[in-house]
Amino acid sequence: MMGDSQLIKKIIQGYATGHFLMDEAGILGWYTAPQRTLIPLDDRFHYPRSLQRVLNRHQFHTAINQDFAGVVYGCANREVTWISSELIEIYFALHDAGWAHSFEAWQGDELAGGILGIAIGGIFIGESMFYRITDGSKVALVKLVEHLRQQGFMLFDAQLNNPHLARFGSYTIKNDQYQRLLTQALRSSCRFIPDP
């Protein structure tokens, strides 16, 4: 599976049509939703003042793909998870092929939190996030939005909404509107990892 470029191509095509992979009750399959959640990349993005104080202290630094495995396993390590061992293997294959990435927050040499996602064209599809140190994933999210803006990304797809994301300005749109935005974003050729 790890070397099967055709399978990787089919998976990327699935994401590019607006579907996402989940493991439900031990069955890995493609899913979609009548509404999609986006993290705004414009001035609608916001976060609590308490987090700004954390950012001002510069107690965290960020990295890309420094510990991809740590982020994948961190995201999967919870009582109820949709990230099965089969899906973990797929994420590693997508990472090896340059599609899947981890955006990480570090405190010293300790991984504090991170976000796992897939970058295609001008869209970043956030698959999951986790933290080990308080505010780790929140800092990663703020810095990821800054990074996506700098790289010219058009969409940050968070798939499903929750109260945590709502604190950052997340919003939902109907699937037909999402499909139109997705088509536009896929025409863009953004680089998630900036040129050296």
Side-chain angles (χ1 to χ4, degrees):
M1 188 331 270
M2 297 297 281
D4 191 341
S5 60
Q6 285 300 110
L7 181 56
I8 290 172
K9 184 178 179 181
K10 289 179 75 171
I11 290 170
I12 292 302
Q13 287 174 342
Y15 278 100
T17 59
H19 294 77
F20 52 90
L21 283 170
M22 286 182 64
D23 191 299
E24 285 283 334
I27 300 174
L28 182 65
W30 287 104
Y31 294 84
T32 188
Q35 291 187 320
R36 291 299 277 262
T37 297
L38 301 180
I39 304 292
L41 297 177
D42 54 23
D43 57 9
R44 290 173 292 177
F45 181 76
H46 59 265
Y47 47 87
R49 289 183 180 179
S50 59
L51 183 56
Q52 183 61 59
R53 291 193 288 270
V54 173
L55 292 164
N56 290 343
R57 289 199 292 268
H58 302 290
Q59 66 190 78
F60 297 99
H61 65 276
T62 58
I64 297 172
N65 296 336
Q66 186 171 314
D67 188 359
F68 181 81
V71 172
V72 172
Y73 288 115
C75 289
N77 184 23
R78 55 193 71 184
E79 286 188 20
V80 179
T81 181
W82 51 268
I83 302 177
S84 63
S85 57
E86 185 179 0
L87 190 48
I88 286 173
E89 188 177 347
I90 287 171
Y91 287 142
F92 279 114
L94 292 174
H95 176 64
D96 289 343
W99 297 103
H101 303 281
S102 59
F103 194 91
E104 308 149 6
W106 291 78
Q107 190 173 77
D109 59 359
E110 184 175 356
L111 179 62
I115 299 167
L116 168 66
I118 297 167
I120 310 171
I123 182 171
F124 182 82
I125 304 163
E127 292 285 279
S128 188
M129 61 195 301
F130 87 106
Y131 72 94
R132 291 178 186 159
I133 298 174
T134 301
D135 294 322
S137 62
K138 296 175 186 175
V139 169
L141 181 59
V142 171
K143 294 299 183 180
L144 173 57
V145 167
E146 291 178 3
H147 176 73
L148 294 175
R149 288 169 172 168
Q150 290 167 359
Q151 297 302 112
F153 277 77
M154 297 174 62
L155 287 181
F156 183 170
D157 177 10
Q159 298 176 354
L160 303 173
N161 211 356
N162 60 53
H164 173 70
L165 295 178
R167 298 179 70 194
F168 294 84
S170 66
Y171 63 99
T172 58
I173 59 174
K174 292 182 178 180
N175 193 50
D176 57 349
Q177 184 181 359
Y178 172 79
Q179 290 291 339
R180 289 194 295 271
L181 294 173
L182 176 63
T183 299
Q184 295 173 14
L186 291 172
R187 295 193 188 111
S188 183
S189 56
C190 300
R191 290 180 59 85
F192 186 77
I193 301 175
D195 292 323

